[in-house]
Amino acid sequence: MPVMPPLPVSAASVFGPALATAEAFADVLATRGVEQGLIGPREVPRLWDRHLLNCAVVAELIDGQCRTLVDIGSGAGLPGLVLAMLRPEVAITLLEPMERRCRFLAECVTELGLANASVLRGRMEDVARAGLLRADVATARAVAPLPRLAEPAAGLVRPGGMVLAIKGITAREELENAGSVLRRIGARSAEVVRAGQGKVVPATTVVRFFAQ
């Protein structure tokens, strides 16, 4: 079994009172998460820097008015479970199409005591088309390229709701490629932003836009 990395110094300031919960989640990811194929064994040594902290700083992009959030393709719970730890006042729906991943997420919600999180099995396109969710904010990480993600993600938030797509070095290219889709759906203020500057290295790159 890969060895867990030491706790980064920045973790305490980023997670604050949720640090113990984050550590418990890290242990789950490093064991059952690997066993169930939710993360690769090579990811364990960089669980904190590449995954947990990378997701946690996204919370700073979500304002205090947010009351509902949907995490699209939640998978291993990144960023959905992490945001649930940091924003207990926000009702977070973990949207995931695969049954075994839904079971993993439900177990984590119970074990970590995240009363504000719930799991919904479904494909983003189907849930958006059915109008089953209209959250204040939608998040997505490693789900789909922005040209394919943008329309269903916009369909999962209320009018004026915010979409946060966590991306890497391809963020600007994806934003350019999604231009025609974003214009067609009436998306506003589409831009690349960085979360966690001065807190984590590298800062987390996010494509942010607002639904019509």
Side-chain angles (χ1 to χ4, degrees), residues 5 18 40 45 60 62-63 85 92 95 99 113 133 147 149-150 154 162 170-171 182 187 196 204 206-207 209:
E60 72 184 40
I62 302 168
D63 68 31
M85 299 171 200
I92 294 181
L95 178 62
E99 184 178 358
L133 274 177
L149 174 70
M162 180 171 65
T170 63
L182 292 168
T204 301
V206 180
V207 174
F209 68 87

Side-chain angles (χ1 to χ4, degrees), residues 36-211:
Q36 296 180 31
L38 287 152
I39 66 165
R42 293 182 180 179
E43 296 302 307
V44 173
R46 48 188 186 178
L47 258 182
W48 284 101
D49 291 334
R50 184 179 175 88
H51 297 289
L52 296 169
L53 290 168
N54 175 267
C55 291
V57 294
V58 173
E60 72 184 40
L61 300 177
I62 302 168
D63 68 31
Q65 302 301 309
C66 175
R67 288 294 173 265
T68 54
L69 182 150
V70 55
D71 184 36
I72 301 168
S74 204
L78 299 164
L81 288 173
V82 174
L83 295 175
M85 299 171 200
L86 293 166
R87 299 296 296 270
E89 79 284 7
V90 178
I92 294 181
T93 301
L94 308 170
L95 178 62
E96 169 56 48
M98 294 183 64
E99 184 178 358
R100 65 180 180 85
R101 292 180 178 176
C102 286
R103 284 198 301 268
F104 174 84
L105 291 168
E107 289 169 2
C108 287
V109 167
T110 300
E111 291 173 25
L112 300 173
L114 298 173
N116 60 322
S118 60
V119 181
L120 174 63
R121 186 181 177 194
R123 294 172 65 250
M124 61 176 178
E125 297 89 348
D126 296 338
V127 176
R129 195 179 301 117
L132 298 176
L133 274 177
R134 285 291 184 268
D136 294 326
V137 174
T139 56
R141 182 178 190 257
V143 173
L146 193 63
R148 187 159 66 86
L149 174 70
E151 186 167 9
L156 291 170
V157 296
R158 60 170 173 76
M162 180 171 65
V163 176
L164 300 172
I166 302 172
K167 297 290 181 179
I169 58 173
T170 63
R172 292 195 182 279
E173 181 183 353
E174 287 194 41
L175 181 55
E176 289 177 11
N177 292 340
S180 60
V181 176
L182 292 168
R183 286 190 292 273
R184 177 168 56 77
I185 65 175
R188 297 182 292 103
S189 306
E191 61 181 337
V192 175
V193 296
R194 286 183 170 80
Q197 295 191 90
K199 298 177 184 176
V200 298
V201 180
T204 301
T205 304
V206 180
V207 174
R208 176 176 64 189
F209 68 87
F210 295 85

